[in-house]
Amino acid sequence: MLIAAAQFAPVAGDVEANVRTIAGTVREAGAAGARLVVFAELSLTGYEPALIRKDPSLVLAEDDPRLAPLRAACRAAGTAAVVNGPVRGAGPLPGLASLVIGPDGATLARYDKRHLFHGPEQDTFTAGTEDGRFTLDGVRFALATCYDNRFPELAGRAASDGCAVYLASSMLEGGNDSFETVYPVRARDFGLFVVLGNSLGPSEAGEGGGRSGIWGPGGGVLAAAGPEKPGFVLAEVG
């Protein structure tokens, strides 16, 4: 299975514009053979916790009509997508949620970030309590989001649960050490393919560092995007 790790600079607070960009990337990646595309943390709104707290309209429903262009792109391309944003759930605050939109345009899975980063995230979101899992074409996937990846037990549970691929939607600045000390290490230590979708452009957390990529089970780089150019990179996994 070919998987794409994607990156772009979200428009702060403009869900419709970001969905258009994501849908276009899904179509392009699908045309290149990708069966799944992984996007960054808060790719639907930009990484803007203060703005999300201020503007309730930025919180999405799982069946939100603003996601319709993305669902249509997934159907047209025959490609699944992992997108992330503030999504209503059972708690008083939204989840910082990854939605997996399947190749048929339906929601295949939802994962709410379990380990919220200090301060703004904890003030804005409700932490999840369950691990994220789904199966596509017979391959079992795990979901994790940014700070989650600092906790190796998530990847350990994924490997024990029969997952072959670990999908990490993140918002990392260029100087973050996770590119060297977290993602390849999770791949090596637990025998997983690790797929990082990161962000570009300004945000409340700073400038997105790009470098979306895919690591093989030994920790070696299979595909790596640069730090500035939007788009995606592809690698075979599973």
Side-chain angles (χ1 to χ4, degrees):
M1 181 191 300
L2 275 178
I3 289 187
Q7 59 188 39
F8 72 100
V11 180
D14 194 333
V15 173
E16 290 85 352
N18 295 326
V19 167
R20 286 195 297 271
T21 299
I22 291 167
T25 303
V26 167
R27 291 176 184 270
E28 292 178 15
R35 184 64 166 161
L36 175 69
V37 189
V38 181
F39 292 90
E41 181 179 31
L42 292 175
S43 51
L44 292 169
T45 59
Y47 189 92
E48 308 290 342
L51 187 58
I52 292 165
R53 289 196 302 274
K54 184 185 298 185
D55 185 356
S57 73
L58 296 180
V59 177
L60 291 90
E62 287 189 36
D63 60 352
D64 202 290
R66 289 173 289 183
L67 296 176
L70 170 58
R71 296 185 189 279
C74 289
R75 286 192 297 269
T79 302
V82 179
V83 296
N84 187 277
V87 182
R88 283 196 294 271
L93 298 173
L96 205 171
S98 287
L99 298 178
V100 184
I101 310 301
D104 61 355
T107 301
L108 188 58
R110 170 180 174 159
Y111 168 71
D112 287 24
K113 185 175 183 177
R114 297 191 64 161
H115 299 279
L116 298 175
F117 196 64
H118 320 295
E121 286 189 14
Q122 294 176 345
D123 294 339
T124 308
F125 304 105
T126 296
T129 58
E130 302 292 334
D131 290 334
R133 302 283 188 268
F134 69 96
T135 300
L136 181 65
D137 296 349
V139 178
R140 189 158 173 80
F141 292 84
L143 295 158
T145 307
C146 206
Y147 190 50
D148 278 336
N149 299 299
R150 291 281 183 178
F151 298 83
E153 59 266 26
L154 267 73
R157 289 198 299 270
S160 297
D161 197 24
C163 296
V165 189
Y166 181 90
L167 307 178
S169 296
S170 300
M171 168 54 211
L172 302 172
E173 297 176 90
N176 195 295
D177 69 348
S178 297
F179 296 104
E180 290 76 33
T181 65
V182 174
Y183 299 93
V185 173
R186 300 293 173 264
R188 183 194 68 212
D189 287 355
F190 298 104
L192 296 163
F193 291 92
V194 172
V195 183
L196 164 66
N198 197 32
S199 194
L200 297 170
S203 76
E204 288 181 27
E207 192 80 12
R211 296 174 64 187
S212 296
I214 304 171
W215 290 264
V221 176
L222 302 181
E228 297 175 354
K229 185 178 177 181
F232 59 88
V233 291
L234 294 163
E236 188 171 347
V237 306

